[in-house]
Amino acid sequence: GAVVSQHPSRVICKSGTSVKIECRSLDFQATTMFWYRQFPKKSLMLMATSNEGSKATYEQGVEKDKFLINHASLTLSTLTVTSAHPEDSSFYICSASPGQGGEQYFGPGTRLTVT
Amino acid sequence: QKEVEQNSGPLSVPEGAIASLNCTYSDRGSQSFFWYRQYSGKSPELIMFIYSNGDKEDGRFTAQLNKASQYVSLLIRDSQPSDSATYLCAVSPPPGNTGKLIFGQGTTLQVKP
């Protein structure tokens, strides 16, 4: 149980275009999902907390107009990187929590390359 | 002071030995504690969680929690080369938070055959 999927697993796009990443909890409902970014050999960095039916909560320094988050249902959250630039190239990972214990289960990640 | 601290390593142990990974946290009101394993190029995988003081064992893994010392550790017995990865300690802040976890920077473990 507690499986989280992400799509796509890898994407290459041109500078200035937008990319949408989907995160799904497959066998549980998640009122809260989280979006992280990780640069090579660096720590996980929490970008935002995605709340079903309400606005996402962004961490300090993360531009909410650039990283659009939508959590339309209890099993789906999407992250859209708008007007992507090469510095946005990174490994984007979502997570979801099925219960009150606080544990998070991670999706397999999306590797974004902006050329 | 970082909220969750880990020695980045690398920690190198021979195959079959016990690997001991340590983590300290700053918020005394923290409630839940997690260990994740992350292989290079992959996303983190939950391997253990612990809520109460003491030890919790699961197969070759033992998590130890000492809330008075604000310390949590992970022991891996009979270490295998396949255990070579980065181990992330994560802490759930006191109730009332959004549910987000605070992660340490991770300790890289190398198990040498």
Side-chain angles (χ1 to χ4, degrees), chain B residues 18-84:
Chain B
I18 296 175
S20 178
L21 304 159
N22 305 315
C23 172
T24 58
Y25 59 95
S26 61
D27 193 329
R28 189 170 287 278
S30 298
Q31 299 287 302
S32 309
F33 307 85
F34 307 89
W35 282 100
Y36 288 84
R37 177 176 61 199
Q38 186 175 23
Y39 291 113
S40 180
K42 303 294 185 183
S43 65
E45 171 193 9
L46 179 65
I47 52 174
M48 290 284 291
F49 57 85
I50 185 167
Y51 304 138
S52 305
N53 274 329
D55 295 359
K56 179 181 179 183
E57 188 174 317
D58 183 0
R60 295 187 296 113
F61 299 99
T62 299
Q64 299 175 317
L65 174 61
N66 183 325
K67 288 188 176 181
S69 299
Q70 295 174 238
Y71 176 95
V72 58
S73 64
L74 179 70
L75 300 178
I76 306 174
R77 287 181 299 282
D78 189 24
S79 296
Q80 301 297 308
S82 58
D83 295 326
S84 298

Side-chain angles (χ1 to χ4, degrees), chain B residues 7 30 65 85 92 110:
Chain B
N7 188 318
S30 298
L65 174 61
S92 178
Q110 296 174 347

